[in-house]
Amino acid sequence: MLNLTGKKALVTGIANNRSIAWGIAQQLHQAGAELGVTYLPDEKGRFEKKVRELVEPLHPTIFLPCNVQNDEQIDALFASLGEKWGKFDILIHCLAFANKDDLSGEFSATSRAGFSTALEISSYSLTRLAKAAKPLMNEGGAIVTLSYLGGVKVIPNYNVMGVAKAALEMSVRYLASELGSSNIRVNAISAGPIRTLASSAVGGILDMIHHVEEIAPLKRTVTQTEVGNAAAFLCSDLASGITGQVLYVDAGYEIMGM
């Protein structure tokens, strides 16, 4: 029933085979979507090489750099996308970053620069990408981003990233309101803790995972594939009436009080 054949999907945020974005890209591909993939450029081209080799089996027809702190790169990405695809259907936003020093210790000690960096990359980037994508997205299009429970509740060693995720979730609602008249839906997935390159910066991530395995109703945490399945659903016509929502894919952990 879940069929994305004929849909074109741009996936951001793949870093390696543990990335949630990688799980999403795989499930979109399996459902029949044609993929475009971005990577974070670096001087030595290490990220480009690693991501290119990883996604090769998915046969992306677009593979381009995008540093979301650079407006020129964003505009160049979507100009190329427009030339290659004309229009497209799906935007996957899996981008987040905070300086490690701003994730631990006292929240009030968060640096001004660190706060700005976390909010710019982890939250504002969704708004900026949505702005660039809007004129190129087909009616019935979908935007999906990744959040986490730390955006609504205090999580140890999450600090400024929790504020960034709160801003991200509110951005989802405002973007859903704006883009709804174009029949473009915007949703977020709040995934349970998964061991990824990004989560490795969070102190005690393995303890968090073990805690979820003990407390969550399903007595386990979730996988990249499960998050990918949820994203594919939100991008499909099966979710045509869903927008502005945060879908928890966390083995039920969010419902527990103690």
Side-chain angles (χ1 to χ4, degrees):
M1 292 178 62
L2 201 163
N3 187 357
L4 297 176
T5 302
K7 304 287 188 180
K8 296 178 173 65
L10 181 66
V11 181
T12 68
I14 297 176
N16 56 34
N17 62 357
R18 287 186 174 181
S19 300
I20 295 178
W22 170 236
I24 293 174
Q26 288 177 293
Q27 299 314 110
L28 294 179
H29 173 74
Q30 183 172 314
E34 178 181 345
L35 296 184
V37 172
T38 71
Y39 62 90
L40 180 65
D42 65 294
E43 292 182 358
K44 296 184 178 180
R46 290 171 298 182
F47 294 145
E48 177 182 1
K49 182 176 185 295
K50 181 182 294 186
V51 177
R52 185 185 295 276
E53 291 176 352
L54 178 64
V55 303
E56 185 177 0
L58 306 187
H59 309 294
T61 52
I62 288 176
F63 186 80
L64 291 169
C66 185
N67 179 345
V68 292
Q69 291 182 286
N70 186 319
D71 282 329
E72 291 181 357
Q73 280 194 23
I74 293 174
D75 292 338
L77 165 66
F78 284 94
S80 296
L81 187 151
E83 291 174 4
K84 176 72 174 181
W85 280 350
K87 294 277 192 174
F88 76 112
D89 307 278
I90 296 165
L91 172 62
I92 303 296
H93 175 273
C94 301
L95 302 167
F97 176 81
N99 294 321
K100 194 168 184 177
D101 290 345
D102 292 314
L103 293 176
S104 60
E106 296 180 340
F107 175 67
S108 62
T110 304
S111 66
R112 184 182 298 275
F115 189 94
S116 297
T117 296
L119 270 288
E120 179 184 5
I121 297 175
S122 310
S123 177
Y124 176 71
S125 62
L126 173 66
T127 300
R128 183 63 180 84
L129 291 179
K131 176 185 178 183
K134 182 179 177 181
L136 297 176
M137 292 196 79
N138 287 315
E139 283 198 19
I143 299 174
V144 175
T145 187
L146 287 180
S147 190
Y148 176 59
L149 183 63
V152 293
K153 296 180 182 179
V154 175
I155 299 293
N157 300 315
Y158 208 60
N159 285 12
V160 72
M161 187 56 73
V163 177
K165 291 299 188 185
L168 180 73
E169 292 187 9
M170 202 64 229
S171 297
V172 164
R173 299 181 184 102
Y174 276 100
L175 288 169
S177 176
E178 174 187 339
L179 300 179
S181 59
S182 300
N183 195 25
I184 297 170
R185 298 175 294 105
V186 187
N187 292 290
I189 293 173
S190 185
I194 297 175
R195 194 173 181 183
T196 65
L197 180 63
S199 70
S200 65
V202 179
I205 183 63
L206 292 181
D207 292 335
M208 292 169 62
I209 291 173
H210 294 326
H211 177 71
V212 169
E213 291 171 341
E214 293 177 3
I215 302 300
L218 296 182
K219 302 304 178 187
R220 62 177 179 83
T221 188
V222 295
T223 66
Q224 287 90 337
T225 298
E226 288 176 313
V227 178
N229 285 335
F233 161 71
L234 287 174
C235 294
S236 75
D237 292 340
L238 296 177
S240 60
I242 302 173
T243 194
Q245 303 302 309
V246 178
L247 175 63
Y248 283 87
V249 183
D250 64 352
Y253 180 80
E254 186 270 339
I255 70 170
M256 302 302 292
M258 293 182 66

